[in-house]
Amino acid sequence: MWRPFKPVKDTVIRTCKFGALKRNIALQELYLSENKLNGYQDSMQLADLLKYNNTLRALDLSNNTTSDSGLEEICDALSFQKTGLRTLILSNNHITHRGMSHLQNVLPHLKTLETLNLGKNNLENRGIHTLKESLMINRSLLQLGLAATGITCEGAVTLAEILAESRQIQRLDVRQNQVLAGGLMALSLALKINRSLIRLDLDQQVKEEKEVFLVETQKTLLSRISDLCVGNATAAKLLAPPDPAECAETTYSLPTQTAE
């Protein structure tokens, strides 16, 4: 989900004609990773594109300097997307918890967004708390990336509250955060209620705790969380419609209709 894409040349964003992109009815994926995009002029042009282009399905802006001000422009434009942005990658863009107020406003209205990656931005617990209500309202998001965002146990508890209410999120990435036994406990309890999450990415190397016994607790909880995700995945597979290819040996072809 978070795989890096081959970056376009640095000059592309400043030389391409956004007017043409607005009218383009074939463009579905736009990868602009590592293009030194800023939070002012570049973000405004991207926002202008998002307002008028209704065919875009994936937008990768990772490893730029969009910042909170650029995110505001982009979020304002996303409210015009009625037909279908499905993937939005904003990892490593100098975004902070302040920028989450802009995302909070638009998330409930994004009916087709399935993947959102905010990893490597300094969101902190405050940012997760800001997004809490909008993530609970949104019913399309399947994958959420929050790796290396400055989350501690407090943020993990907020995410657990979101998961307890979620009916669709399938993957959550919270690696490279300071989630200790308390946060893992909250996530574990949430997964006893949640039936959609099939992958929760966590650091497998246990972290230091004030009490030694909590290190063992971390190991136990990591194993329990893994088991619960596997259980959800198994249940989801059992409930899914059978694959015709797998059922080929036990199905029979319909009789050929002949003309009268």
Side-chain angles (χ1 to χ4, degrees):
M1 178 179 61
W2 325 132
R3 66 187 188 281
F5 300 103
K6 183 178 180 181
V8 202
K9 292 183 179 179
D10 290 348
T11 56
V12 168
I13 190 62
R14 292 166 182 82
T15 58
C16 69
K17 296 181 180 179
F18 275 86
L21 287 176
K22 291 180 199 176
R23 298 187 295 272
N24 188 299
I25 59 173
L27 181 69
Q28 293 191 12
E29 300 179 353
L30 185 57
Y31 302 125
L32 296 170
S33 177
E34 298 180 28
N35 268 277
K36 300 179 181 179
L37 306 186
N38 60 52
Y40 179 59
Q41 185 176 3
D42 295 331
S43 295
M44 288 180 66
Q45 291 187 67
L46 280 168
D48 205 28
L49 165 64
L50 288 171
K51 286 180 181 179
Y52 297 99
N53 184 293
N54 293 314
T55 62
L56 198 63
R57 298 294 178 265
L59 178 60
D60 179 7
L61 300 175
S62 59
N63 304 317
N64 287 294
T65 55
T66 300
S67 71
D68 296 334
S69 59
L71 182 60
E72 180 178 12
E73 296 286 346
I74 291 170
C75 286
D76 286 345
L78 285 174
S79 62
F80 290 83
Q81 284 284 318
K82 304 298 183 184
T83 56
L85 189 69
R86 294 179 183 141
T87 299
L88 179 59
I89 310 298
L90 292 166
S91 56
N92 193 25
N93 258 281
H94 297 205
I95 297 170
T96 73
H97 66 91
R98 296 180 183 86
M100 294 304 95
S101 61
H102 310 306
L103 194 56
Q104 172 196 29
N105 293 332
V106 75
L107 260 179
H109 307 291
L110 298 179
K111 307 298 185 182
T112 59
L113 188 66
E114 297 177 350
T115 297
L116 175 62
N117 189 357
L118 297 168
K120 295 184 179 180
N121 288 300
N122 193 29
L123 308 185
E124 304 176 295
N125 298 328
R126 291 176 287 181
I128 306 305
H129 184 72
T130 299
L131 287 178
K132 177 182 174 181
E133 186 176 350
S134 59
L135 285 171
M136 286 180 171
I137 295 173
N138 182 282
R139 287 291 179 265
S140 64
L141 196 64
L142 303 178
Q143 304 184 92
L144 177 60
L146 295 170
T149 50
I151 298 172
T152 66
C153 289
E154 179 184 340
V157 169
T158 302
L159 288 172
E161 293 172 352
I162 295 169
L163 289 177
E165 296 293 329
S166 174
R167 297 294 180 270
Q168 82 284 340
I169 293 180
Q170 297 176 2
R171 181 184 177 188
L172 174 62
D173 187 353
V174 289
R175 290 172 295 178
Q176 300 176 52
N177 287 296
Q178 194 63 13
V179 179
L180 306 179
L184 294 175
M185 177 63 75
L187 292 169
S188 175
L189 291 173
L191 276 169
K192 290 184 177 181
I193 303 172
N194 177 283
R195 293 293 178 266
S196 65
L197 197 74
I198 60 176
R199 181 170 174 179
L200 177 51
D201 293 317
L202 293 160
D203 296 322
Q204 294 304 303
Q205 185 174 359
V206 295
K207 299 177 172 64
E208 291 186 11
E209 297 267 9
K210 292 182 179 179
E211 303 292 340
V212 176
F213 77 92
L214 290 175
V215 174
E216 290 302 317
T217 302
Q218 283 189 46
K219 295 179 182 178
T220 301
L221 290 169
L222 285 169
S223 177
R224 185 180 302 169
I225 288 170
S226 177
D227 290 343
L228 289 167
C229 286
V230 169
N232 281 350
T234 301
K237 186 174 182 180
L238 291 174
L239 292 173
D243 186 339
E246 294 179 357
C247 301
E249 296 181 0
T250 58
T251 56
Y252 302 90
S253 59
L254 294 174
T256 305
Q257 186 175 0
T258 56
E260 296 181 355

